[in-house]
Amino acid sequence: MADDYRFGIEEEYFVVDAESKAMQKKMPAAFIMALKRDLGKTVTREMLQAQLEVMTQPTASIADARAELQNARRVVGEVAARHELSFFAAGTHPTATWTDAQQTPAQRYDGVMHDLQMVGERNLLCGMHVHVELPDPDQRVDVMRRMTPYVPLMIALATSSPFWRARRTGLMGYRLAAYDELPRTDLPPMFRDKADYDDYIAALVESRVIPDSTYVWWALRPSHKHPTLELRAPDSCTRINDAIAIAAIYRSLARHLVHNPQVNADLNVVDGAIAIENKWRAQRYGIHGSFVDRESRRAITIADFVEQVIVQVAEDARALGCEAEVKSARAILKQGTSADTQISVYREAEHRTGSRTEALRAVTSWLAEATLQ
């Protein structure tokens, strides 16, 4: 495989009523057929009928990935409008109630829901996944372990889920708090090598706990279907620029870790525990918090961590043609994440109208508009 670190982005969306922006409980068959006709295999249904997923084709061009996402969102928007629907990208739907959601009919989803029970029914959440091909697929477990300390940063930059069931949660990214109710989520264990990972998967499969490794849903995992390492932690990004920035950072870090095998080579269980703590801090505070830095024994701000990463992967970003996109993480720090804007829109509307209902309506309207900008 060429040393170009091809990548692809998967985005999950909420499908909503065009006027009220309420969650669409049942997906109209004609809507799905029209999407399939216009987008083909790049659009799929999710476990709950209120959700869709679109995906870009494997590419080495950050510009092509951006263009594909823009086209997918445009097409979904146009098709949705013809069916009196709309959609938006966010980690949670601000006002939806999970008890109203309906499962998508499919044999796989039947099995998952049977296993997960109510925890599966509560999985009304949308994320962004980024796949990056590695020159040697056998390196994926090693890179996964050494990538772990960076995952909280990408969570912080992507936060878009401050509301749940019409309530402020107090978290900038509530989605992972709900998602981690599922088994085999959170950050991956600190496997020493591919043999450890293979042994773990074999034990679960041969015990008939899971059919295969696609039922392992960690924040970072070796893909079962592709020769990629898949980032699964970020919320679905409302703004395309945010999604592209995070994908560029992740891809650049993947190349950096492959080319510099000494980086994070000595990570151990303490580093894993610190990464879990930083993951929580990313969910709670978004870009406004700080992370634990084991080496200095001090807190490091998200802004400082972003600058460190930009410097660290500068050569890799230039080699991959995504230097500007990596640096655009600074724009996220300046303007805030989707969660920041949602909270700002909510506060302004509540102050203006005196109504929590109207404030939440303003948030869902902004989400639908911003997703298509």
Side-chain angles (χ1 to χ4, degrees):
M1 188 181 301
D3 189 20
D4 57 11
Y5 296 83
R6 292 196 309 166
F7 72 106
I9 301 171
E10 300 169 350
E11 292 189 317
E12 296 169 345
Y13 305 140
F14 288 105
V15 179
V16 299
D17 178 81
E19 177 61 26
S20 69
K21 304 301 187 292
M23 176 186 71
Q24 184 69 21
K25 299 177 184 178
K26 187 174 182 180
M27 201 75 75
F31 172 58
I32 296 298
M33 290 176 61
L35 282 177
K36 289 289 187 181
R37 182 187 64 240
D38 292 351
L39 289 174
K41 295 181 179 180
T42 62
V43 62
T44 61
R45 303 182 71 174
E46 282 295 297
M47 187 165 69
L48 298 177
Q49 292 196 44
Q51 300 162 296
L52 285 175
E53 181 179 81
V54 302
M55 60 195 77
T56 67
Q57 295 299 307
T59 181
S61 167
I62 198 78
D64 287 353
R66 181 193 298 274
E68 280 199 62
L69 283 187
Q70 289 172 332
N71 180 66
R73 292 189 183 199
R74 177 185 61 79
V75 171
V76 173
E78 290 173 354
V79 174
R82 295 200 297 268
H83 292 83
E84 298 183 343
L85 299 171
S86 183
F87 80 105
F88 57 73
T92 55
H93 186 299
T95 62
T97 300
W98 63 266
T99 52
D100 293 335
Q102 297 184 32
Q103 181 201 320
T104 299
Q107 185 175 358
R108 175 185 171 93
Y109 296 148
D110 289 345
V112 170
M113 202 65 81
H114 174 76
D115 185 38
L116 298 179
Q117 295 294 302
M118 188 179 76
V119 173
E121 296 172 12
R122 285 170 51 84
N123 193 32
L124 189 61
L125 312 162
C126 287
M128 177 182 76
H129 306 162
V130 185
H131 288 261
V132 174
E133 291 181 347
L134 302 185
D136 179 0
D138 285 346
Q139 291 179 299
R140 291 181 297 171
V141 174
D142 174 63
V143 174
M144 178 176 73
R145 181 176 62 86
R146 295 189 291 125
M147 182 73 76
T148 300
Y150 301 104
V151 173
L153 175 63
M154 291 174 274
I155 293 171
L157 292 171
T159 49
S160 65
S161 50
F163 295 95
W164 179 249
R165 298 186 67 181
R167 293 186 57 183
R168 280 280 308 276
T169 64
L171 279 66
M172 303 302 283
Y174 179 76
R175 168 181 153 267
L176 288 178
Y179 189 67
D180 287 344
E181 292 182 340
L182 276 64
R184 302 178 295 280
T185 55
D186 212 321
L187 294 174
M190 301 293 282
F191 294 117
R192 293 170 298 177
D193 50 32
K194 182 177 181 295
D196 276 356
Y197 170 77
D198 289 344
D199 191 33
Y200 167 80
I201 296 297
L204 269 60
V205 171
E206 291 169 18
S207 301
R208 298 186 178 180
V209 172
I210 59 174
D212 55 55
S213 64
T214 63
Y215 291 77
V216 172
W217 302 302
W218 297 324
L220 192 63
R221 71 176 182 182
S223 173
H224 178 79
K225 298 179 181 178
H226 310 290
T228 63
L229 185 63
E230 179 187 7
L231 174 70
R232 299 171 51 82
D235 284 358
S236 185
C237 292
T238 309
R239 303 182 182 97
I240 283 182
N241 285 347
D242 295 1
I244 293 296
I246 293 163
I249 289 171
Y250 176 58
R251 183 180 176 220
S252 299
L253 280 167
R255 183 185 188 275
H256 184 76
L257 294 175
V258 169
H259 282 251
N260 299 274
Q262 76 283 1
V263 174
N264 291 345
D266 59 349
L267 292 184
N268 58 29
V269 66
V270 176
D271 298 287
I274 289 173
I276 291 172
E277 179 65 31
N278 287 339
K279 172 177 171 285
W280 158 250
R281 295 184 63 78
Q283 295 169 227
R284 170 63 180 87
Y285 300 104
I287 59 174
H288 306 288
S290 62
F291 290 156
V292 178
D293 182 78
R294 183 185 181 187
E295 185 175 348
S296 69
R297 291 292 199 270
R298 293 184 178 181
I300 179 172
T301 67
I302 304 301
D304 285 346
F305 196 12
V306 165
E307 291 303 319
Q308 285 186 13
V309 170
I310 289 174
V311 172
Q312 183 178 3
V313 303
E315 179 183 338
D316 306 279
R318 282 193 294 271
L320 296 173
C322 59
E323 189 174 13
E325 288 76 14
V326 167
K327 290 180 178 178
S328 69
R330 293 168 176 158
I332 301 176
L333 298 175
K334 184 176 181 180
Q335 73 175 354
T337 66
S338 171
D340 289 302
T341 304
Q342 289 179 56
I343 292 169
S344 177
V345 168
Y346 177 87
R347 287 173 173 167
E348 190 280 330
E350 185 181 40
H351 177 75
R352 174 170 43 83
T353 66
S355 167
R356 291 180 64 250
T357 300
E358 290 302 315
L360 287 164
R361 186 180 179 89
V363 172
T364 53
S365 294
W366 176 81
L367 284 169
E369 293 167 5
T371 297
L372 285 172
Q373 286 178 356

